Amino acid sequence: MVAFRSTDASGRASGLLLRCVLYSLVALGLIIVDKRYDHLGRIRRALSVVAYPVEVAVASPFEGWNWFRESVTTRDVLRSDNARLQAQLRLAEFRLQRYEALEAESQRLRALRDNTAGVADRFVVGNIMDVDLDAFRERVFVDKGARDGLFVGQAVLDSGGVFGQVARVGELTSEVILVSDPAHAIPVQINRNGLRTIAVGTGDTSRLKLPYLPTSADVVAGDLLVTSGLGGGFPPGYPVGTVALVKRDPAQSLADVDIRPAAALDRSRELMFVWLKPSPAPAATTADAAAPASKPAAAAPTTPASPAAKPPATAKPAAEAKAPPQKALPAKTAPASGATHP
């Protein structure tokens, strides 16, 4: 270092340049050695251990300030945060409830659609708008009417079974009478043995009656009642209810039978109005129509052919009255000879 020292201005500048070049060469050599052989790695690790307390000491004031600021947060901030979180929680719960309601509605509509497979020609789904508040009437109002093709007497179902019938039709709305209405009756049959009867409403959505069954009728608790299809108002085979209670009084000729409806009369919100498929015409209609015409010819030999076997003259009008129109001519011609000459 002393060799590069100079007292004049030119010597002072040349010494600084030489020292800068020398230091640069040394730094470059250290970089090359460290890159290739990593001899300075241990030194760096040792220096990092020594420098760690310094890093902690430098960062401690900032961390302490953050902790202090969080610790002295005011009650108003906490209340606002709590109110915001509660509002978000209520919104999330409301959306979750809506999703559950939509899922339940989708399941009910799917059940309604599956309920008409193979029976209904077409169907329309309506929503209940209002319920009749009259204590002696069991009726609801739906948002479908004549514009949708509804007609009086049309069958109404829900996902459980028979719900009722259309009682009155407006242009945009309709009135449906429930099977539990006291003025409603539906032909049914017991699914177990095919016994046919009529179920009538009681004014109670949880109970129907079978008032026309004798005490000797084969009906027990738990029997399933389905529509018989008689009358053409309801499709056959749809569940109407289940026998809940059977009372037999020896002093009475009719049994007291209570029915639990299959439809959710007090809970359903979607109803299905169905159009029944027309029953196909039998293929043997022409053959069956021609068969009675050929029967009189086959029955002709049974007519008495001799005077000995002829009926009395007084019995002839009765025989002619009983004989069908097709047999009238053969019956008169065979005994003609004996009947005119007594």
Side-chain angles (χ1 to χ4, degrees):
M1 297 299 176
V2 178
F4 295 102
R5 184 174 299 171
S6 178
T7 56
D8 55 352
S10 60
R12 208 164 30 247
S14 61
L16 292 175
L17 180 61
L18 290 176
R19 280 181 291 188
C20 180
V21 172
L22 180 61
Y23 293 153
S24 299
L25 293 175
V26 172
L28 183 60
L30 292 176
I31 291 173
I32 294 174
V33 172
D34 181 50
K35 182 66 176 177
R36 289 197 173 188
Y37 306 105
D38 195 21
H39 291 304
L40 301 178
R42 295 180 180 179
I43 300 175
R44 281 199 302 272
R45 289 191 288 272
L47 291 176
S48 64
V49 173
V50 175
Y52 179 75
V54 179
E55 295 176 356
V56 172
V58 172
S60 295
F62 300 99
E63 294 180 357
W65 170 251
N66 293 333
W67 174 83
F68 178 76
R69 187 176 59 181
E70 293 177 359
S71 299
V72 297
T73 303
T74 61
R75 184 177 297 180
D76 295 336
V77 175
L78 294 177
R79 286 180 175 177
S80 62
D81 291 343
N82 188 19
R84 178 176 53 82
L85 294 176
Q86 287 182 355
Q88 293 178 356
L89 179 60
R90 283 194 298 268
L91 180 60
E93 290 177 348
F94 175 76
R95 290 179 176 176
L96 180 60
Q97 292 175 0
R98 184 57 181 164
Y99 292 152
E100 292 177 353
L102 291 175
E103 181 181 3
E105 181 180 0
S106 176
Q107 292 176 355
R108 290 195 300 269
L109 294 176
R110 212 176 291 123
L112 286 173
R113 181 196 61 191
D114 298 339
N115 219 6
T116 58
V119 176
D121 186 22
R122 68 186 184 96
F123 60 88
V124 170
V125 177
N127 297 317
I128 294 179
M129 301 171 53
D130 195 7
V131 178
D132 195 340
L133 300 179
D134 192 340
F136 302 99
R137 290 160 53 96
E138 296 290 335
R139 308 197 178 196
V140 297
F141 298 92
V142 295
D143 59 353
K144 301 296 180 181
R147 187 180 60 178
D148 303 292
L150 271 62
F151 56 90
V152 175
Q154 187 174 12
V156 182
L157 311 175
D158 73 349
S159 59
V162 177
F163 189 89
Q165 282 182 287
V166 177
R168 189 173 57 188
V169 178
E171 185 63 26
L172 301 176
T173 61
S174 298
E175 181 181 355
V176 176
I177 179 172
L178 278 62
V179 293
S180 60
D181 191 280
H184 188 271
I186 177 173
V188 297
Q189 67 179 12
I190 299 177
N191 193 49
R192 177 173 56 86
N193 53 21
L195 179 63
R196 291 192 298 269
T197 183
I198 296 177
V200 299
T202 62
D204 184 2
T205 55
S206 63
R207 187 166 58 95
L208 305 177
K209 280 285 189 182
L210 299 181
Y212 307 113
L213 283 180
T215 55
S216 60
D218 183 14
V219 55
V220 295
D223 282 344
L224 175 64
L225 293 178
V226 297
T227 52
S228 63
L230 299 179
F234 291 93
Y238 269 70
V240 176
T242 306
V243 177
L245 181 63
V246 179
K247 296 180 182 179
R248 292 183 173 90
D249 188 357
Q252 301 292 333
S253 60
L254 298 177
D256 186 10
V257 183
D258 290 346
I259 305 300
R260 182 173 61 254
L265 302 179
D266 56 347
R267 295 185 301 274
S268 292
R269 300 186 61 181
E270 296 86 14
L271 303 180
M272 177 173 289
F273 303 86
V274 297
W275 283 259
L276 304 184
K277 290 184 177 179
S279 57
T285 303
T286 56
D288 295 342
S294 62
K295 288 182 180 178
T302 61
T303 307
S306 63
K310 68 180 183 297
T314 56
K316 179 182 176 182
E320 292 177 354
K322 292 181 181 180
Q326 293 85 349
K327 296 182 181 180
L329 182 59
K332 291 166 108 181
T333 57
S337 59
T340 55
H341 299 284

